[in-house]
Amino acid sequence: MRMQALRIAIVLPTPDRPAGWCTRLVEQIEAEPRFDLRTLIACPSGMELSSGNGLIRTWYAFERRVVGKLQGSDPLDGADRPGKFPILASDDHLAIVGMDLDVIVDLSGRAVGIFPSEAARLGIWYPDFLRRPAGTTAMAAILARDPVIAISLLRGAADKEETTIATGRLNTKFLATRNEDFMLEKAVPLIVNALKRAHQSQASELPSLPRSAEPLQPGGSGLCTYLARLGGDGAAKVVEKVGEKLGARPGMFFLKSYAAAWSEFDPARATPHVSARNSYFADPFLWERAGALYCFFEEFDYRTGRGHISVGRFEDGQLTDIQVALRRDYHLSFPHLFEHEGELYMMPECCEVRRLEVWKCRAFPHDWELHATALEGVVAADSTLNLIDGNWWLFTNISDDAFLDMNTQLHIFRADGPDLAKLEPHALNPVVVDAREARNAGRILDLDGRLYRPAQDNSHGTYGYGVRLMEIEDLSLDNYRESLAYAIEPDFEPGITGCHHFDVRAGRVVMDVRRRVGGFAGLARGRPASRSATGAVPRVGTAEGKVSAALGMRSARSQYLRGSE
């Protein structure tokens, strides 16, 4: 039996010309058959939010004027939607109640308490930060050096206590205005996912999650601290750009591998594999062929600012005979390898051309032909195609906002195989909205009969701060559940600033690691590449888990105890 569509109204600050993020939400709700967008409601007048500290307000207005406002999509044009849905005044309670609504989504932060309890069956939903003065949440996160910004979707009603029904975590940016814009953009998938879950459950009551702590509102001294950090971060970025021009390879990734059981992996003792050219190595995938173990990876050229796929072979623990495997006139990375019916395929990231590509191997390891494409026009990163319990599942990180951010949302599709001719979207896409766990960091791993999804921890203002292994507990087209099993942070040797990829095969573990400065080509540590052609981890609670935590792989419990969440 088909479930009734969720009846929705949206409160907009300016219904005739809403901001880009508001437009995206309206368009996504309109396009979803499970939703019935019945009306837009004009923002209530005469209910201004607290203006906050005067100095903060003045600086934020100045910073906003200098930086500008992201738009990213055309505003709604009522002329293009004649009769589509009415625009009601917020005090037209009779008409609003007559809509027989399930949810009122408030994008103004001002609508709670003005509607009668019968206005919406599931109450009024709103992002928590919209209830605070503009920019204060964004600046408070920078001042507190929070590894992530937590945003929450709250539910309020005239006769019920305010509750948290969904949460997301975002990587902190160094500008308050950009933080604020980023929170607005990411409120969209958070709201859409919560609406899908509400429709799926058809529940009269929603989950009540723990409330996030209210951020401390910054004052004059906080503004001084913010400005000092802003200057320091800006200078660091300038130095990084200069270092790149001089060939110092700032933010350089390199590979580390370790020949042992995955449960004994120790990143501090692993062998480094560093590029001898003006490039770096990242996104390693292992593959066996004819008794030898190969590693395919991204090789990023600092000179061109573009990556290609290289491949090397392990001999006596060293990565040798490095050659180009696949090069295009656009950026390639993340060379996910998989096999089907005796054929080897590669699905590298090529988000620059806005599509997925599957390449078929004609002669191993560096002769490939384009086999299939999918998701044309979509910005998708770090995709993996995995055969699980007889079904092919595509895990991918899709951007649909003005930031082109691919670190915060995980999407899943059921596929027909390497042809990618048929993709069925998961009912709850995006199934994860979390910068610490959404982006893929390698293939799905079957370790001791359990499935793990390596995920990037994009926090601390860093791309690729760490790696998390998420244990997949439930996977179907209607449900997805995973939990944190292990975490690797960049604290296993001096000078490391991040690590963001993990793979296991044939008794060897490989990951990539990032240094703040890589050193000049030819002078880096580790054995150089020999030539170039042109053209996981023990379970939580086990004795092994305690040992691995001491080696650098932390269990979920030990990670939480550190208070870094």
Side-chain angles (χ1 to χ4, degrees), residues 152-220:
S152 298
L153 183 62
L154 304 182
R155 174 190 183 271
D159 59 345
K160 292 187 178 181
E161 183 180 357
E162 186 179 71
T163 57
T164 301
I165 58 176
T167 60
R169 295 184 293 186
L170 314 179
N171 201 358
T172 309
K173 300 185 180 299
F174 83 105
L175 275 174
T177 47
R178 281 296 175 253
N179 264 341
E180 185 87 3
D181 289 338
F182 199 43
M183 291 188 293
L184 294 171
E185 293 289 341
K186 292 308 177 183
V188 174
L190 191 69
I191 293 169
V192 169
N193 178 267
L195 289 171
K196 289 178 178 179
R197 292 182 183 276
H199 176 267
Q200 186 183 72
S201 66
Q202 291 289 295
S204 58
E205 291 297 328
L206 298 168
S208 181
L209 304 176
R211 289 291 301 273
S212 299
E214 280 291 313
L216 295 175
Q217 299 300 304

Side-chain angles (χ1 to χ4, degrees), residues 15-343:
D16 52 339
R17 301 288 292 178
W21 72 279
C22 297
T23 298
R24 273 184 283 282
L25 180 62
V26 170
E27 291 173 342
Q28 290 185 31
I29 289 176
E30 279 188 283
E32 175 55 59
R34 289 170 286 179
F35 302 155
D36 177 11
L37 181 57
R38 297 204 158 187
T39 185
L40 301 180
I41 301 175
C43 175
S45 59
M47 297 186 65
E48 295 298 323
L49 298 173
S50 169
S51 58
N53 181 276
L55 287 174
I56 298 294
R57 186 172 67 252
T58 301
W59 170 260
Y60 186 78
F62 171 75
E63 187 177 297
R64 172 60 68 198
R65 180 177 294 274
V66 172
V67 174
K69 185 81 172 179
L70 287 181
Q71 187 63 39
S73 66
D74 294 330
L76 294 173
D77 186 347
D80 295 335
R81 290 173 161 81
K84 190 84 179 240
F85 35 70
I87 298 178
L88 300 178
S90 60
D91 59 357
D92 193 351
H93 293 173
L94 185 63
I96 292 172
V97 171
M99 290 281 180
D100 193 23
L101 299 170
D102 293 307
V103 178
I104 295 176
V105 180
D106 176 23
L107 303 186
S108 70
R110 308 176 192 177
V112 174
I114 70 169
F115 297 118
S117 58
E118 64 269 23
R121 179 175 64 91
L122 298 178
I124 301 170
W125 297 6
Y126 45 94
D128 58 347
F129 59 88
L130 290 181
R131 302 289 302 280
R132 305 173 191 134
T136 56
T137 303
M139 188 177 291
I142 297 172
L143 292 173
R145 295 193 182 277
D146 291 334
V148 290
I149 299 178
I151 62 172
S152 298
L153 183 62
L154 304 182
R155 174 190 183 271
D159 59 345
K160 292 187 178 181
E161 183 180 357
E162 186 179 71
T163 57
T164 301
I165 58 176
T167 60
R169 295 184 293 186
L170 314 179
N171 201 358
T172 309
K173 300 185 180 299
F174 83 105
L175 275 174
T177 47
R178 281 296 175 253
N179 264 341
E180 185 87 3
D181 289 338
F182 199 43
M183 291 188 293
L184 294 171
E185 293 289 341
K186 292 308 177 183
V188 174
L190 191 69
I191 293 169
V192 169
N193 178 267
L195 289 171
K196 289 178 178 179
R197 292 182 183 276
H199 176 267
Q200 186 183 72
S201 66
Q202 291 289 295
S204 58
E205 291 297 328
L206 298 168
S208 181
L209 304 176
R211 289 291 301 273
S212 299
E214 280 291 313
L216 295 175
Q217 299 300 304
S221 62
L223 177 60
C224 293
T225 301
Y226 170 75
L227 293 176
R229 290 183 184 169
L230 189 62
D233 289 343
K237 290 180 180 295
V238 171
V239 170
E240 184 175 297
K241 289 295 183 184
V242 171
E244 189 170 322
K245 295 292 185 183
L246 295 176
R249 301 190 292 185
M252 185 194 75
F253 284 97
F254 64 99
L255 309 185
K256 296 197 80 172
S257 71
Y258 192 69
W262 60 271
S263 57
E264 299 172 0
F265 176 59
D266 178 1
R269 295 167 56 193
T271 301
H273 312 285
V274 183
S275 173
R277 298 183 288 274
N278 190 23
S279 63
Y280 67 59
F281 298 162
D283 298 347
F285 285 89
L286 300 172
W287 198 260
E288 291 177 278
R289 178 61 65 99
L293 183 62
Y294 294 80
C295 184
F296 289 76
F297 54 92
E298 171 198 353
E299 183 168 359
F300 179 86
D301 188 331
Y302 277 92
R303 183 182 58 84
T304 64
R306 179 171 289 159
H308 61 267
I309 307 305
S310 289
V311 58
R313 184 179 69 255
F314 282 104
E315 290 184 1
D316 299 325
Q318 300 296 332
L319 191 59
T320 66
D321 196 26
I322 295 176
Q323 303 182 40
V324 174
L326 182 63
R327 191 199 301 269
R328 306 293 290 168
D329 59 358
Y330 46 85
H331 177 78
L332 296 176
S333 61
F334 201 84
H336 169 60
L337 299 165
F338 62 96
E339 204 166 30
H340 179 55
E341 296 181 346
E343 300 287 352

